[in-house]
Amino acid sequence: MVRKNWLALLLIAVLAVSIVSGCSTSKNNEAEKKQPTTTEKEGKSTKAPEPATLTFGTYHVPADTRDNFDQTAVGKAIKEQLDITLKIRGSQNVEQDFVADVAANNLPDIFLVTASNTAPQNLEMMTKAAKEGMLADLTDLIQNGDASILKEVIKPERMPLYTKQTVFNPEFNGKLYFLPAYYSTTEPAKYGFGLYLRGDIAKALNFDTQSIQTPDDLYELAKKVKEGNFKDVNGKPVYPLGMINPWSQNLYQLFRGFDYGKSGFALIDGKIKSFIESEQIWQQILFVRKLIADGLMDQESFAHSYQIGSEKVSQGRYAIMPFLASAVVPGNEAVMKALTDSHPEMAYEALSPMNDFTGSSDQVINMGMESYLMVGVTKGANAEAAVRLLNWLNTREGRAVVNFGEKDKQWFFNDKNYAQMTDDAYNEVVTDPDGYYAKYGAGAKSNLLVPALITGFDAAYDIFGGTLRDQYYQNNVEISDKITEYVEKTMPKLVVKNQLDISTLMTTYPQKDQLMPVLQQLKDILARTYLAKTEKEAQHLLDGYRETLNKNGYQEYIQYLQQEYDKDPSLYLVSSGTY
């Protein structure tokens, strides 16, 4: 979805509660009325705890070692509040180091690890560590101690399916060795994925922004835009359609009338059908070619950089675009600010969600697709202190501290009782984000991943306010309100599932190493078919790609998926409809 050099940061940033999208406006209003909530219990015992030193390490993404973390603003707050000295043990080769550290019984006191069927070796090592007595049993400390927040978030009904299977592994005999990191939830996250139309153009055309349902509707709107001869902020002709970045969610929203969603498969009459083999993929290709041939789409947007795409949108160059109304993607805030501050009349309006190929406009949200991250505590560590720390990190003050820094210096509770950065701290983080996070030990971008120890979407609703969890929006209220409006309009109806996505079975497919490299060529093949000189050439490219897939075990892969699905149809979601 974004440029490659952002992917690593995105994996980190998506963990931080500071940027989680997730609650409706009504839920936010409830949060304001009810604060402080039940999650405000600070988890402090009436008895003064003993001083403790703990080491935290992550096996999720590479992180830096910082023995002096207790000297940062976050580290000092933890020391002051809990009398715990926290040190960070980094790892640059996370997969190899996790295997080696389990084998040597050399895990940090508290560790974070990816645990899913996309990383089955990690799950095997976690199970081994627990069964061989390397890990602390946290059951009594959480169930009968002061960890009121952790006790709430480990309820099985709050967890995505795969998470629940990992935490409550029957081989653990009822003992609790792992906690879910970040994503235990009673309500799934909502994001502002969808199509957007420049506000002044919508007004000039007197266009009903909730009337787009099919590709034909989109085509007719694009034609009206072209006929209207609209201009960008520099007086140049606009493109009726364009994208900041083409792939993943953006491309899916633009051509939702054809697409099968993230997995690339759909369930039709109980049979798993492939988008690549379907008639829909060819109809999508023809539709895009028609848009390009009629001068309705910027064909450069299939290949240009995210920076160039952002610049075009900030200038109002695209009348219609797919967009993620979130701070998760770098540059989005600049797009919003440029149009809202300098050219408010151009601020985009959210269009209604298009129907998918079945005619449904439902937005399917799969709880089972959340990040599969687990927290463990080693047996030799001070488990009481570790649980106390993890519980405090999930209090309102703890969440704000690890994301922003020291209370009343880098942030404060505003008049809505939300955590907001001070003006000085906000200007500092905007000027030099990496420097800020490294200096204060705050936020996921510090490569410390302390915010990843926060668990519970709904446990975060009452702390940062709004739909977004990011300092930019908290300090730019008008834009934050606009983003909230976007999210509500683009996702009016959610269908919540809690299943395993069928695409994750690729990790256990015997011929994955042979097939995966070919599947990864799909984006390039599609772009080439869109821009091919003739329809015959486009068809030749698609047919050749299908043939190459079959030579590398694609049909066997589909059969494998079908066999696994048939064992328990309730277990798998064949297509989530989102990326």
Side-chain angles (χ1 to χ4, degrees), residues 367-415:
M367 284 175 62
M369 290 181 67
E370 308 296 352
S371 306
Y372 304 120
L373 293 168
M374 297 292 158
V375 176
V377 178
T378 55
K379 193 170 185 178
N382 186 330
E384 183 278 330
V387 169
R388 183 157 37 94
L389 172 63
L390 293 170
N391 197 68
W392 180 81
L393 288 173
N394 286 280
T395 63
R396 299 185 70 246
E397 182 172 333
R399 293 195 299 276
V401 165
V402 297
N403 278 286
F404 297 148
E406 189 175 351
K407 183 181 179 182
D408 296 329
K409 290 187 178 180
Q410 283 81 52
W411 66 275
F412 60 96
F413 282 121
N414 62 22
D415 56 3

Short mmCIF file of all heavy atoms in Angstrom, two decimals, residues 367-415:
data_model
loop_
_atom_site.label_atom_id
_atom_site.label_comp_id
_atom_site.label_asym_id
_atom_site.label_seq_id
_atom_site.Cartn_x
_atom_site.Cartn_y
_atom_site.Cartn_z
N MET A 367 -11.78 -10.09 12.76
CA MET A 367 -10.98 -9.99 13.98
C MET A 367 -9.76 -10.89 13.91
O MET A 367 -8.72 -10.62 14.49
CB MET A 367 -11.82 -10.38 15.19
CG MET A 367 -12.81 -9.32 15.62
SD MET A 367 -13.88 -9.89 16.96
CE MET A 367 -12.66 -10.22 18.24
N GLY A 368 -9.91 -12.01 13.21
CA GLY A 368 -8.83 -12.98 13.12
C GLY A 368 -7.66 -12.52 12.30
O GLY A 368 -6.64 -13.20 12.20
N MET A 369 -7.75 -11.33 11.66
CA MET A 369 -6.65 -10.84 10.83
C MET A 369 -5.81 -9.80 11.57
O MET A 369 -4.94 -9.19 10.97
CB MET A 369 -7.19 -10.24 9.54
CG MET A 369 -7.76 -11.27 8.59
SD MET A 369 -8.36 -10.52 7.06
CE MET A 369 -6.83 -9.95 6.35
N GLU A 370 -6.08 -9.61 12.85
CA GLU A 370 -5.27 -8.66 13.59
C GLU A 370 -3.84 -9.20 13.77
O GLU A 370 -3.58 -10.37 13.53
CB GLU A 370 -5.89 -8.39 14.97
CG GLU A 370 -7.36 -7.98 14.93
CD GLU A 370 -7.59 -6.67 14.22
OE1 GLU A 370 -6.62 -5.97 13.89
OE2 GLU A 370 -8.76 -6.34 13.99
N SER A 371 -2.94 -8.34 14.23
CA SER A 371 -1.54 -8.74 14.40
C SER A 371 -1.43 -9.87 15.42
O SER A 371 -2.05 -9.83 16.48
CB SER A 371 -0.73 -7.54 14.89
OG SER A 371 -0.88 -6.46 14.03
N TYR A 372 -0.64 -10.87 15.09
CA TYR A 372 -0.49 -12.01 15.99
C TYR A 372 0.78 -11.82 16.82
O TYR A 372 1.84 -12.35 16.49
CB TYR A 372 -0.39 -13.31 15.19
CG TYR A 372 -1.55 -13.55 14.26
CD1 TYR A 372 -1.36 -13.68 12.89
CD2 TYR A 372 -2.84 -13.65 14.75
CE1 TYR A 372 -2.42 -13.91 12.04
CE2 TYR A 372 -3.91 -13.87 13.90
CZ TYR A 372 -3.70 -14.00 12.55
OH TYR A 372 -4.74 -14.22 11.71
N LEU A 373 0.67 -11.09 17.89
CA LEU A 373 1.83 -10.83 18.74
C LEU A 373 1.53 -11.26 20.17
O LEU A 373 0.42 -11.05 20.67
CB LEU A 373 2.19 -9.35 18.71
CG LEU A 373 2.70 -8.84 17.37
CD1 LEU A 373 2.73 -7.33 17.37
CD2 LEU A 373 4.07 -9.39 17.07
N MET A 374 2.52 -11.88 20.79
CA MET A 374 2.36 -12.37 22.16
C MET A 374 3.46 -11.82 23.05
O MET A 374 4.58 -11.58 22.62
CB MET A 374 2.43 -13.90 22.19
CG MET A 374 1.33 -14.58 21.43
SD MET A 374 -0.27 -14.34 22.22
CE MET A 374 -1.33 -14.65 20.82
N VAL A 375 3.12 -11.65 24.33
CA VAL A 375 4.07 -11.24 25.34
C VAL A 375 4.26 -12.39 26.31
O VAL A 375 3.28 -13.00 26.76
CB VAL A 375 3.57 -10.00 26.11
CG1 VAL A 375 4.54 -9.65 27.23
CG2 VAL A 375 3.40 -8.82 25.17
N GLY A 376 5.51 -12.70 26.63
CA GLY A 376 5.82 -13.73 27.60
C GLY A 376 6.77 -13.19 28.67
O GLY A 376 7.46 -12.19 28.46
N VAL A 377 6.79 -13.85 29.81
CA VAL A 377 7.67 -13.48 30.91
C VAL A 377 8.48 -14.71 31.29
O VAL A 377 7.92 -15.80 31.48
CB VAL A 377 6.88 -12.98 32.14
CG1 VAL A 377 7.82 -12.66 33.30
CG2 VAL A 377 6.03 -11.76 31.78
N THR A 378 9.79 -14.59 31.39
CA THR A 378 10.63 -15.75 31.69
C THR A 378 10.53 -16.11 33.17
O THR A 378 10.25 -15.27 34.02
CB THR A 378 12.10 -15.48 31.32
OG1 THR A 378 12.53 -14.28 31.97
CG2 THR A 378 12.26 -15.32 29.83
N LYS A 379 10.78 -17.38 33.45
CA LYS A 379 10.57 -17.90 34.79
C LYS A 379 11.51 -17.27 35.81
O LYS A 379 11.15 -17.06 36.98
CB LYS A 379 10.75 -19.42 34.79
CG LYS A 379 10.26 -20.08 36.06
CD LYS A 379 10.22 -21.58 35.92
CE LYS A 379 9.61 -22.23 37.15
NZ LYS A 379 9.53 -23.72 37.00
N GLY A 380 12.71 -16.94 35.40
CA GLY A 380 13.67 -16.37 36.34
C GLY A 380 13.46 -14.89 36.62
O GLY A 380 14.12 -14.32 37.50
N ALA A 381 12.55 -14.26 35.89
CA ALA A 381 12.32 -12.82 36.06
C ALA A 381 11.42 -12.56 37.26
O ALA A 381 10.78 -13.47 37.81
CB ALA A 381 11.68 -12.26 34.80
N ASN A 382 11.34 -11.32 37.67
CA ASN A 382 10.40 -10.90 38.70
C ASN A 382 9.03 -10.79 38.05
O ASN A 382 8.66 -9.74 37.52
CB ASN A 382 10.85 -9.56 39.30
CG ASN A 382 9.99 -9.13 40.47
OD1 ASN A 382 8.81 -9.46 40.55
ND2 ASN A 382 10.59 -8.37 41.38
N ALA A 383 8.29 -11.88 38.07
CA ALA A 383 7.01 -11.94 37.36
C ALA A 383 5.99 -10.97 37.92
O ALA A 383 5.19 -10.38 37.19
CB ALA A 383 6.46 -13.37 37.40
N GLU A 384 6.02 -10.75 39.23
CA GLU A 384 5.08 -9.81 39.84
C GLU A 384 5.32 -8.41 39.29
O GLU A 384 4.38 -7.69 38.93
CB GLU A 384 5.24 -9.82 41.37
CG GLU A 384 4.25 -8.92 42.11
CD GLU A 384 4.67 -7.44 42.14
OE1 GLU A 384 5.90 -7.19 42.14
OE2 GLU A 384 3.79 -6.57 42.13
N ALA A 385 6.59 -8.02 39.21
CA ALA A 385 6.93 -6.70 38.67
C ALA A 385 6.56 -6.61 37.19
O ALA A 385 6.09 -5.58 36.72
CB ALA A 385 8.41 -6.42 38.87
N ALA A 386 6.79 -7.70 36.45
CA ALA A 386 6.47 -7.70 35.02
C ALA A 386 4.97 -7.51 34.81
O ALA A 386 4.55 -6.72 33.95
CB ALA A 386 6.93 -9.01 34.40
N VAL A 387 4.16 -8.21 35.56
CA VAL A 387 2.70 -8.06 35.43
C VAL A 387 2.27 -6.66 35.85
O VAL A 387 1.40 -6.04 35.23
CB VAL A 387 1.98 -9.14 36.26
CG1 VAL A 387 0.48 -8.85 36.36
CG2 VAL A 387 2.21 -10.51 35.64
N ARG A 388 2.89 -6.15 36.90
CA ARG A 388 2.58 -4.79 37.36
C ARG A 388 2.90 -3.77 36.26
O ARG A 388 2.13 -2.83 36.01
CB ARG A 388 3.38 -4.51 38.63
CG ARG A 388 3.13 -3.17 39.28
CD ARG A 388 3.49 -3.18 40.77
NE ARG A 388 4.67 -3.97 41.07
CZ ARG A 388 5.90 -3.49 41.16
NH1 ARG A 388 6.13 -2.20 40.94
NH2 ARG A 388 6.92 -4.27 41.47
N LEU A 389 4.04 -3.95 35.60
CA LEU A 389 4.42 -3.06 34.52
C LEU A 389 3.44 -3.16 33.35
O LEU A 389 2.97 -2.14 32.83
CB LEU A 389 5.83 -3.40 34.03
CG LEU A 389 6.30 -2.67 32.76
CD1 LEU A 389 6.37 -1.16 32.99
CD2 LEU A 389 7.65 -3.21 32.30
N LEU A 390 3.14 -4.38 32.93
CA LEU A 390 2.23 -4.57 31.80
C LEU A 390 0.85 -4.00 32.09
O LEU A 390 0.20 -3.42 31.22
CB LEU A 390 2.14 -6.05 31.45
CG LEU A 390 3.42 -6.68 30.91
CD1 LEU A 390 3.28 -8.20 30.84
CD2 LEU A 390 3.77 -6.12 29.54
N ASN A 391 0.41 -4.15 33.32
CA ASN A 391 -0.90 -3.61 33.68
C ASN A 391 -0.87 -2.08 33.67
O ASN A 391 -1.78 -1.43 33.15
CB ASN A 391 -1.31 -4.11 35.06
CG ASN A 391 -2.79 -3.94 35.31
OD1 ASN A 391 -3.62 -4.59 34.67
ND2 ASN A 391 -3.16 -3.06 36.23
N TRP A 392 0.20 -1.49 34.21
CA TRP A 392 0.29 -0.03 34.22
C TRP A 392 0.39 0.55 32.82
O TRP A 392 -0.18 1.61 32.53
CB TRP A 392 1.51 0.41 35.04
CG TRP A 392 1.66 1.91 35.09
CD1 TRP A 392 0.99 2.79 35.90
CD2 TRP A 392 2.51 2.71 34.25
NE1 TRP A 392 1.37 4.07 35.63
CE2 TRP A 392 2.30 4.06 34.62
CE3 TRP A 392 3.41 2.42 33.24
CZ2 TRP A 392 2.97 5.11 34.02
CZ3 TRP A 392 4.08 3.47 32.63
CH2 TRP A 392 3.86 4.79 33.01
N LEU A 393 1.08 -0.14 31.93
CA LEU A 393 1.20 0.34 30.55
C LEU A 393 -0.16 0.45 29.87
O LEU A 393 -0.31 1.17 28.88
CB LEU A 393 2.09 -0.61 29.73
CG LEU A 393 3.58 -0.58 30.04
CD1 LEU A 393 4.29 -1.68 29.27
CD2 LEU A 393 4.18 0.78 29.70
N ASN A 394 -1.14 -0.24 30.41
CA ASN A 394 -2.48 -0.21 29.82
C ASN A 394 -3.43 0.74 30.55
O ASN A 394 -4.60 0.82 30.19
CB ASN A 394 -3.05 -1.62 29.80
CG ASN A 394 -2.40 -2.46 28.73
OD1 ASN A 394 -2.73 -2.37 27.56
ND2 ASN A 394 -1.43 -3.28 29.11
N THR A 395 -2.94 1.45 31.57
CA THR A 395 -3.76 2.49 32.18
C THR A 395 -3.77 3.70 31.25
O THR A 395 -2.98 3.81 30.32
CB THR A 395 -3.19 2.90 33.55
OG1 THR A 395 -1.88 3.48 33.35
CG2 THR A 395 -3.10 1.71 34.49
N ARG A 396 -4.64 4.63 31.54
CA ARG A 396 -4.73 5.82 30.70
C ARG A 396 -3.40 6.58 30.72
O ARG A 396 -2.90 7.01 29.69
CB ARG A 396 -5.86 6.73 31.17
CG ARG A 396 -7.23 6.05 31.09
CD ARG A 396 -8.36 7.01 31.45
NE ARG A 396 -8.53 8.00 30.39
CZ ARG A 396 -8.29 9.30 30.55
NH1 ARG A 396 -7.86 9.75 31.71
NH2 ARG A 396 -8.48 10.14 29.55
N GLU A 397 -2.83 6.76 31.90
CA GLU A 397 -1.57 7.49 31.99
C GLU A 397 -0.43 6.70 31.37
O GLU A 397 0.41 7.26 30.66
CB GLU A 397 -1.24 7.80 33.45
CG GLU A 397 0.05 8.61 33.60
CD GLU A 397 0.29 9.08 35.01
OE1 GLU A 397 -0.70 9.26 35.76
OE2 GLU A 397 1.46 9.29 35.38
N GLY A 398 -0.41 5.39 31.59
CA GLY A 398 0.65 4.56 31.03
C GLY A 398 0.67 4.59 29.52
O GLY A 398 1.73 4.70 28.89
N ARG A 399 -0.51 4.51 28.91
CA ARG A 399 -0.58 4.53 27.45
C ARG A 399 -0.09 5.86 26.89
O ARG A 399 0.59 5.91 25.87
CB ARG A 399 -2.02 4.26 26.99
CG ARG A 399 -2.48 2.85 27.29
CD ARG A 399 -3.75 2.50 26.52
NE ARG A 399 -4.88 3.34 26.83
CZ ARG A 399 -5.70 3.16 27.86
NH1 ARG A 399 -5.47 2.17 28.71
NH2 ARG A 399 -6.74 3.94 28.05
N ALA A 400 -0.44 6.94 27.57
CA ALA A 400 0.00 8.26 27.11
C ALA A 400 1.51 8.42 27.29
O ALA A 400 2.19 8.97 26.41
CB ALA A 400 -0.75 9.35 27.86
N VAL A 401 2.03 7.94 28.40
CA VAL A 401 3.46 8.08 28.66
C VAL A 401 4.28 7.37 27.59
O VAL A 401 5.23 7.95 27.03
CB VAL A 401 3.81 7.52 30.07
CG1 VAL A 401 5.31 7.31 30.20
CG2 VAL A 401 3.33 8.47 31.15
N VAL A 402 3.98 6.12 27.30
CA VAL A 402 4.83 5.38 26.36
C VAL A 402 4.68 5.88 24.93
O VAL A 402 5.55 5.64 24.10
CB VAL A 402 4.56 3.86 26.42
CG1 VAL A 402 4.92 3.31 27.78
CG2 VAL A 402 3.13 3.53 26.04
N ASN A 403 3.62 6.60 24.64
CA ASN A 403 3.46 7.14 23.30
C ASN A 403 4.03 8.55 23.15
O ASN A 403 4.51 8.91 22.08
CB ASN A 403 1.98 7.14 22.90
CG ASN A 403 1.53 5.79 22.41
OD1 ASN A 403 1.86 5.38 21.29
ND2 ASN A 403 0.79 5.07 23.24
N PHE A 404 3.99 9.36 24.22
CA PHE A 404 4.36 10.76 24.10
C PHE A 404 5.53 11.18 24.97
O PHE A 404 6.28 12.07 24.61
CB PHE A 404 3.16 11.66 24.45
CG PHE A 404 1.99 11.50 23.52
CD1 PHE A 404 0.70 11.66 23.98
CD2 PHE A 404 2.18 11.19 22.18
CE1 PHE A 404 -0.38 11.52 23.12
CE2 PHE A 404 1.11 11.06 21.32
CZ PHE A 404 -0.18 11.22 21.79
N GLY A 405 5.67 10.59 26.16
CA GLY A 405 6.74 11.03 27.07
C GLY A 405 6.20 11.35 28.44
O GLY A 405 5.26 10.74 28.92
N GLU A 406 6.79 12.35 29.09
CA GLU A 406 6.46 12.66 30.48
C GLU A 406 5.21 13.53 30.59
O GLU A 406 5.04 14.50 29.85
CB GLU A 406 7.65 13.39 31.13
CG GLU A 406 7.50 13.57 32.63
CD GLU A 406 8.75 14.18 33.25
OE1 GLU A 406 9.77 14.30 32.53
OE2 GLU A 406 8.70 14.55 34.44
N LYS A 407 4.36 13.18 31.53
CA LYS A 407 3.13 13.93 31.74
C LYS A 407 3.43 15.37 32.14
O LYS A 407 4.35 15.63 32.92
CB LYS A 407 2.29 13.24 32.83
CG LYS A 407 0.93 13.90 33.08
CD LYS A 407 0.16 13.19 34.17
CE LYS A 407 -1.17 13.85 34.43
NZ LYS A 407 -1.91 13.19 35.54
N ASP A 408 2.65 16.29 31.57
CA ASP A 408 2.74 17.73 31.83
C ASP A 408 4.00 18.37 31.28
O ASP A 408 4.21 19.58 31.46
CB ASP A 408 2.60 18.04 33.32
CG ASP A 408 1.24 17.65 33.88
OD1 ASP A 408 0.26 17.71 33.11
OD2 ASP A 408 1.17 17.26 35.05
N LYS A 409 4.85 17.60 30.61
CA LYS A 409 6.01 18.15 29.91
C LYS A 409 5.90 17.89 28.41
O LYS A 409 6.03 18.81 27.61
CB LYS A 409 7.30 17.56 30.47
CG LYS A 409 7.62 18.04 31.87
CD LYS A 409 9.00 17.58 32.33
CE LYS A 409 9.31 18.12 33.72
NZ LYS A 409 10.66 17.68 34.19
N GLN A 410 5.67 16.64 28.05
CA GLN A 410 5.46 16.32 26.62
C GLN A 410 3.97 16.17 26.29
O GLN A 410 3.58 16.23 25.15
CB GLN A 410 6.19 15.02 26.24
CG GLN A 410 7.69 15.19 26.04
CD GLN A 410 8.43 15.19 27.35
OE1 GLN A 410 8.28 14.29 28.17
NE2 GLN A 410 9.27 16.21 27.56
N TRP A 411 3.16 15.96 27.30
CA TRP A 411 1.72 15.80 27.06
C TRP A 411 0.95 16.17 28.32
O TRP A 411 1.51 16.29 29.40
CB TRP A 411 1.39 14.38 26.63
CG TRP A 411 1.62 13.36 27.72
CD1 TRP A 411 2.80 12.74 28.03
CD2 TRP A 411 0.66 12.90 28.67
NE1 TRP A 411 2.64 11.91 29.10
CE2 TRP A 411 1.34 11.98 29.52
CE3 TRP A 411 -0.69 13.14 28.90
CZ2 TRP A 411 0.69 11.32 30.56
CZ3 TRP A 411 -1.33 12.49 29.93
CH2 TRP A 411 -0.65 11.59 30.75
N PHE A 412 -0.37 16.34 28.14
CA PHE A 412 -1.25 16.66 29.27
C PHE A 412 -2.64 16.12 28.95
O PHE A 412 -2.97 15.84 27.80
CB PHE A 412 -1.31 18.17 29.50
CG PHE A 412 -1.83 18.94 28.31
CD1 PHE A 412 -3.16 19.31 28.21
CD2 PHE A 412 -0.97 19.30 27.27
CE1 PHE A 412 -3.64 19.99 27.11
CE2 PHE A 412 -1.43 20.00 26.15
CZ PHE A 412 -2.78 20.34 26.09
N PHE A 413 -3.48 16.00 29.97
CA PHE A 413 -4.88 15.67 29.74
C PHE A 413 -5.62 16.96 29.45
O PHE A 413 -5.65 17.87 30.29
CB PHE A 413 -5.48 14.97 30.96
CG PHE A 413 -5.10 13.52 31.08
CD1 PHE A 413 -4.43 13.05 32.20
CD2 PHE A 413 -5.41 12.62 30.07
CE1 PHE A 413 -4.08 11.71 32.31
CE2 PHE A 413 -5.05 11.28 30.17
CZ PHE A 413 -4.39 10.82 31.29
N ASN A 414 -6.22 17.06 28.25
CA ASN A 414 -6.90 18.30 27.87
C ASN A 414 -8.30 18.38 28.49
O ASN A 414 -8.69 17.54 29.31
CB ASN A 414 -6.94 18.44 26.34
CG ASN A 414 -7.73 17.31 25.67
OD1 ASN A 414 -8.58 16.66 26.29
ND2 ASN A 414 -7.47 17.09 24.40
N ASP A 415 -9.06 19.40 28.08
CA ASP A 415 -10.35 19.63 28.71
C ASP A 415 -11.37 18.55 28.38
O ASP A 415 -12.42 18.46 29.02
CB ASP A 415 -10.91 21.01 28.34
CG ASP A 415 -11.02 21.21 26.83
OD1 ASP A 415 -10.72 20.26 26.07
OD2 ASP A 415 -11.40 22.31 26.40
#
